[in-house]
Amino acid sequence: MRVNLGLSIEFTLPNEHLQQEYLKNFLSKGILNMTNKKKEAHLSCIMLVNKLEPEVWPGFDETLINQTKTGSVANLTESIVKKIDEIGHVCEAYAIKHDKDVNDEFNFDKQTYQKVPVDNHVHILLRFKEKIALLKLAEHLNLEEQFFEKAKRGKYAFSNFLAYLIHFKDADKFQYSPDEVYTYRGKDYKQVFSESKKMWEKGRAKKTVKTGEESIEEVILAILEGKLSKDDILLDENLKILYSTNRQKINEAFKCYAEFKGAVSRAAIQNGEFKKTIIFITGDSGLGKTTLGHKLVNSITELAAANKQQWRSITTAATNIFDDFHGEEILLLDDIRGEALTASDWLKLLDPYHISPISARYQNRDGAARVVIITSSKLPLEFFYYTKESNSREDISQFLRRIDNLVTLRPSFGNNSTNYLLSHPRKVDSRAVRVPNTNTTVSLTYDFNSPEKVQEESILNYLTNTVRENNKWDPANKETNHDESSQSK
């Protein structure tokens, strides 16, 4: 038998009896050691993290733990340091109670994440004059090793621990005040904070960016699933930093999402599931066109939610109106001008039964909005007369007949209020009409009927109900009490 003992020793044993004798001899002398002992950790600093429940502090008085839970961490910290001084020497000791931490946990009933409070716990940071073995420390304090957090490698290890006491570098966690940290030994924590703040701020910025880079895939997935809007990102302290370092990826995700939404809406409109709703609000400046437009957006969004639809809205700029459009169901063109789009694009956008690509600066977008709300100080006839790049004037009747409802705001003299007038397009015998504020006369085959005065609440209900009808939603599913009498107009 040929034996290799892994010790650069190799020889042949003549028979089984000698084999056994040699093996016994090697084992008895410890030459063969089949166990691989893990190198024991010796630490210069440690963070003790444990919740404030007596059962996880077997070596400490129950009253002390309960008092710490409701009061100061001073007595517990002093008790721990005195115990450690029996086997070594603690040169710095800081402690804080974390009683405002939360975790994000998924609620299956509500199908969303919610903030759940974390059990009250302490962080006790200790630095030793000479290194102490972790096992020896844990055994002496009668605490499990899992409650001791070892510092990462590097010259800033202890400084990072100091910053973590108040979550200074963790922007997504609750930010504790330096005043809450108890200093038992070493430089006063408030002085440490004052001296280290500038360096910690740089570390926080780097950590936030790194965390963002690790979560970019989750953000993109949320965008593609329709769970995040552009405003959600820009208004969130953490996500806006992520956006600044991943702008191209995030914008591409929104473009993809718009394509998905466009395809879904195009299929739905072709199947006759809905028709677009076009609402035109006109009136002089200061009468409340924009306010009415936003109220209408909110009312429609609530109606959609009542019908189990998560609709989003966008208010666009006066020029390049489709650059930031990402498939939102409600498009509010606030204080827009007719020349913002070509006649061809206006006709595509307002077409109630078709969805077609609309011109944009960088890439054409589907005019997939289900509701288009236009506010302008001009009447529709003058508004569409000035469509962009129109060498020969289009038949303006084509634009007028696509509008579901025209709302005209006029001042109410004497009581400083606004009157709301509602009208609808209708087919008329061909007639010549002068375009307001021009010397041009055009021929119309569609025009608006005589307006009817209605109250603001009634106008909101009526317009919202138009959206319901155009989307074939059940009248029972509505957030507001629509004025059914107004439908007889």
Side-chain angles (χ1 to χ4, degrees):
M1 176 181 176
R2 208 167 175 80
V3 179
N4 188 327
L5 298 177
L7 301 171
S8 300
I9 302 173
E10 188 175 290
F11 55 91
T12 301
L13 296 174
N15 57 55
E16 185 177 349
H17 175 72
L18 287 177
Q19 293 170 17
Q20 293 177 354
E21 290 298 318
Y22 272 108
L23 288 174
K24 286 180 182 178
N25 188 43
F26 277 116
L27 288 172
S28 64
K29 293 182 178 179
I31 298 177
L32 290 180
N33 189 347
M34 301 301 181
T35 62
N36 292 319
K37 287 188 177 181
K38 186 178 179 180
K39 188 176 180 181
E40 193 171 11
H42 286 73
L43 309 169
S44 60
C45 65
I46 196 79
M47 178 85 83
L48 170 57
V49 184
N50 203 359
K51 63 180 182 178
L52 291 168
E53 298 296 339
E55 61 267 21
V56 293
W57 296 85
F60 295 82
D61 182 67
E62 181 176 336
T63 302
L64 175 62
I65 304 304
N66 288 329
Q67 286 176 346
T68 306
K69 188 175 183 178
T70 57
S72 170
V73 297
N75 291 338
L76 177 59
T77 305
E78 293 172 15
S79 178
I80 289 172
V81 170
K82 288 178 180 178
K83 282 179 176 284
I84 296 175
D85 281 345
E86 295 171 0
I87 58 172
H89 178 69
V90 177
C91 55
E92 293 182 60
Y94 303 92
I96 186 173
K97 178 168 59 179
H98 282 189
D99 52 5
K100 302 177 188 68
D101 291 2
V102 294
N103 281 334
D104 287 323
E105 292 188 8
F106 189 76
N107 186 311
F108 286 94
D109 293 332
K110 297 181 179 179
Q111 288 295 297
T112 185
Y113 283 92
Q114 61 183 22
K115 301 291 184 182
V116 178
V118 176
D119 290 336
N120 289 359
H121 56 282
V122 291
H123 288 258
I124 301 176
L125 176 58
L126 305 166
R127 195 172 198 171
F128 312 116
K129 185 176 181 180
E130 295 180 357
K131 292 183 177 182
I132 297 180
L134 174 58
L135 179 60
K136 181 179 180 180
L137 181 65
E139 288 179 347
H140 190 73
L141 294 177
N142 196 19
L143 293 173
E144 296 182 24
E145 286 187 57
Q146 66 188 41
F147 299 138
F148 295 90
E149 183 178 342
K150 294 184 287 186
K152 295 180 180 179
R153 293 181 180 275
K155 63 179 180 178
Y156 298 113
F158 189 70
S159 179
N160 290 334
F161 265 158
L162 286 166
Y164 190 80
L165 290 174
I166 58 174
H167 291 158
F168 190 85
K169 295 184 181 181
D170 297 84
D172 59 330
K173 297 179 182 292
F174 182 83
Q175 300 294 294
Y176 292 92
S177 168
D179 293 329
E180 297 179 71
V181 178
Y182 170 65
T183 303
Y184 181 56
R185 287 183 184 172
K187 187 182 295 185
D188 184 78
Y189 186 82
K190 285 183 285 187
Q191 184 179 349
V192 172
F193 174 79
S194 178
E195 295 172 354
S196 306
K197 185 173 183 292
K198 190 172 183 179
M199 180 181 67
W200 289 355
E201 285 174 342
K202 292 180 181 178
R204 178 169 60 183
K206 291 179 181 178
K207 189 171 184 178
T208 301
V209 170
K210 183 178 180 181
T211 302
E213 290 172 349
E214 292 172 351
S215 61
I216 182 63
E217 301 302 328
E218 295 178 13
V219 170
I220 289 176
L221 181 61
I223 292 171
L224 297 179
E225 292 177 346
K227 296 177 181 178
L228 273 181
S229 69
K230 193 73 168 284
D231 283 346
D232 291 333
I233 291 175
L234 297 179
L235 295 175
D236 185 279
E237 288 298 321
N238 294 323
L239 292 180
K240 71 181 183 183
I241 296 175
L242 177 66
Y243 177 72
S244 69
T245 57
N246 297 273
R247 179 177 297 184
Q248 184 174 357
K249 285 184 179 180
I250 290 175
N251 285 334
E252 286 298 321
F254 278 117
K255 289 178 183 178
C256 290
Y257 178 66
E259 292 179 19
F260 300 158
K261 293 290 289 290
V264 171
S265 295
R266 192 182 307 110
I269 206 168
Q270 289 173 352
N271 292 333
E273 296 175 20
F274 77 97
K275 67 183 285 284
K276 292 180 193 173
T277 302
I278 313 299
I279 298 168
F280 198 108
I281 303 173
T282 185
D284 292 338
S285 298
L287 292 179
K289 299 186 299 297
T290 299
T291 300
L292 178 61
H294 285 292
K295 286 182 178 179
L296 181 55
V297 168
N298 293 336
S299 181
I300 294 170
T301 303
E302 290 176 359
L303 176 64
N307 286 273
K308 299 181 180 179
Q309 302 289 321
Q310 186 180 359
W311 278 19
R312 294 187 181 275
S313 63
I314 182 172
T315 303
T316 66
T319 57
N320 305 314
I321 62 178
F322 277 93
D323 285 357
D324 294 320
F325 179 74
H326 298 115
E328 289 84 358
E329 291 80 6
I330 308 171
L331 176 60
L332 174 56
L333 303 175
D334 187 34
D335 197 22
I336 202 74
R337 296 177 183 272
E339 54 263 41
L341 291 177
T342 64
S344 174
D345 282 340
W346 275 120
L347 291 173
K348 291 176 184 177
L349 177 63
L350 304 182
D351 189 333
Y353 299 107
H354 296 91
I355 291 174
S356 304
I358 308 294
S359 301
R361 277 189 301 175
Y362 308 113
Q363 180 181 354
N364 290 351
R365 306 289 176 87
D366 277 331
R370 294 188 176 218
V371 179
V372 179
I373 304 169
I374 302 170
T375 73
S376 174
S377 59
K378 292 180 171 59
L379 289 166
L381 181 58
E382 183 182 1
F383 180 90
F384 290 111
Y385 176 77
Y386 289 105
T387 54
K388 185 179 181 180
E389 298 175 1
S390 182
N391 296 323
S392 60
R393 296 299 173 190
E394 301 282 345
D395 179 4
I396 297 180
S397 294
Q398 296 181 75
F399 303 102
L400 304 187
R401 68 184 180 88
R402 284 167 160 78
I403 298 173
D404 285 283
N405 301 296
L406 171 63
V407 181
T408 304
L409 279 59
R410 290 180 181 167
S412 177
F413 299 103
N415 58 4
N416 197 30
S417 62
T418 301
N419 290 327
Y420 298 88
L421 305 176
L422 178 66
S423 54
H424 314 277
R426 62 176 180 173
K427 189 173 178 59
V428 297
D429 293 332
S430 181
R431 61 188 182 186
V433 179
R434 187 174 67 85
V435 177
N437 301 311
T438 73
N439 294 321
T440 303
T441 299
V442 296
S443 179
L444 295 180
T445 54
Y446 274 85
D447 202 356
F448 293 94
N449 62 3
S450 299
E452 181 174 354
K453 182 179 177 180
V454 292
Q455 298 298 317
E456 180 183 9
E457 183 62 27
S458 296
I459 200 78
L460 279 172
N461 289 339
Y462 183 84
L463 298 175
T464 305
N465 203 48
T466 301
V467 176
R468 179 191 62 75
E469 290 181 344
N470 288 348
N471 285 273
K472 301 181 180 181
W473 288 335
D474 187 344
N477 298 331
K478 53 189 177 182
E479 289 293 306
T480 55
N481 296 318
H482 299 296
D483 185 0
E484 302 297 343
S485 64
S486 65
Q487 294 289 5
S488 63
K489 294 180 178 63

